[in-house]
Amino acid sequence: CFQLYGYCYQDSNDIPDTLTTITELGSPLEMIQLLQTSWEDRFRICLSLVRLLHYLAHSPLGSVTLLDFRPRQFVIVDGELKVTDLDDASIEESSCTSNSDCFMEFPARNFTLPCSVEGRCQSMNEKRNLYNAYRFFFTYLLPHSAPSSLRPLLDKIVNATGNHNKHGNAKYLALELSPSPSVNSEFTQKCVKSANTQYRRVPEAFIPDENYRCWPSYHHKGCLLSVFDVNEAIEICDSYSQCKAFVLTNQTTWTGRQLVFFKMASNHIVPDPDKITYVKVTD
């Protein structure tokens, strides 16, 4: 949830007992922009949402549901998703006398949960949050351009939240994804494919111009991608006909992958102690 930095009570003539809060600043959630970002960043957002779902399901107050669970209730802070509006949060699990009382209705499908011996609908708050996370976030952000080796895991997660099967709970998702050895190995795997193209290494050098656009890119005016090592950067450069050089930076993504600029020429190289340039050798 949002980080609370402070709060104060004050009385006014119009509204008595006014509460003012000071919280961290986040960026509004724009789904169209998220779909244009790298899968690695989209996965990080989904991972932070999974952690939030797990906390809500096991909070000190009990299981909490967000009755107004929509993208506009969330913001992005340092690449992670955080909920900002808790006005519609509830800790009340619905009472019941039979399973038919535990009916959940959504626009695309409906669910009926079991009624416990205590007369409460089992895990209704958690299930509501999970299905809303599926229909607003997971179904859009997880499968799109995901690494092929992770698709079985992602399909299992999407099915678990969308169908409420035996894995449809926040604890299962948290265990599968946080921490995630399979995901980390995918992000850090070494490219073993050999490259036929030769590259000349130029240490402490940078190409300031000669940009071209690619998708997905961490830079909207150039081609900035994450790689495991030089071999993977060579493979990417070889896959683009306009790529004639690339620059290794000293910046990394949240998973530890190195950020690399890909360039369409190397006519102007300038000194830079924090970068290494590789120029394609032509016959």
Side-chain angles (χ1 to χ4, degrees), residues 106-117:
F106 295 97
R109 62 181 308 173
N110 304 320
F111 300 95
T112 299
L113 300 179
C115 179
S116 69
V117 293

Side-chain angles (χ1 to χ4, degrees), residues 16-206:
D17 301 326
T18 302
L19 174 64
T20 302
T21 61
I22 301 93
T23 62
E24 61 185 330
L25 183 64
S27 302
L29 189 67
E30 299 291 344
M31 192 60 68
I32 298 299
Q33 293 180 3
L34 287 183
L35 291 174
Q36 297 173 348
T37 61
S38 68
W39 186 86
E40 189 176 358
D41 286 345
R42 285 184 273 120
F43 173 80
R44 185 181 184 184
I45 290 172
C46 291
L47 177 59
S48 59
L49 178 55
V50 166
R51 290 168 176 164
L52 173 63
L53 294 175
H54 184 264
Y55 176 80
L56 292 176
H58 305 280
S59 80
L61 299 176
S63 182
V64 180
T65 187
L66 302 178
L67 299 175
D68 191 12
F69 196 116
R70 287 180 288 179
R72 70 181 185 184
Q73 307 287 26
F74 298 85
V75 296
I76 298 177
V77 180
D78 295 331
E80 297 193 357
L81 195 71
K82 296 195 176 186
V83 63
T84 62
D85 190 352
L86 295 174
D87 290 347
D88 296 307
S90 174
I91 59 173
E92 295 295 328
E93 293 277 16
S94 299
S95 59
C96 58
T97 57
S98 66
N99 291 349
S100 60
D101 295 328
C102 303
F103 181 75
M104 290 197 302
E105 185 175 6
F106 295 97
R109 62 181 308 173
N110 304 320
F111 300 95
T112 299
L113 300 179
C115 179
S116 69
V117 293
E118 293 82 11
R120 296 288 179 181
C121 296
Q122 291 185 12
S123 305
M124 177 169 279
N125 287 346
E126 180 181 6
K127 297 291 188 180
R128 182 183 288 111
N129 288 341
L130 285 168
Y131 188 76
N132 281 326
Y134 157 80
R135 69 190 186 105
F136 286 120
F137 292 97
F138 297 153
T139 190
Y140 298 108
L141 301 183
L142 280 179
H144 180 54
S145 70
S148 57
S149 62
L150 291 180
R151 289 190 181 276
L153 171 64
L154 300 177
D155 289 343
K156 186 188 299 185
I157 290 171
V158 172
N159 290 333
T161 54
N163 298 323
H164 282 338
N165 61 26
K166 63 180 181 179
H167 298 305
N169 60 77
K171 183 178 180 179
Y172 165 79
L173 297 182
L175 290 174
E176 284 292 308
L177 295 181
S178 178
S180 178
S182 58
V183 171
N184 289 340
S185 64
E186 170 64 29
F187 281 142
T188 58
Q189 68 178 338
K190 186 172 183 177
C191 175
V192 296
K193 184 178 180 180
S194 61
N196 296 322
T197 311
Q198 298 295 318
Y199 286 81
R200 176 169 57 91
R201 184 177 184 272
V202 185
E204 299 185 355
F206 179 60

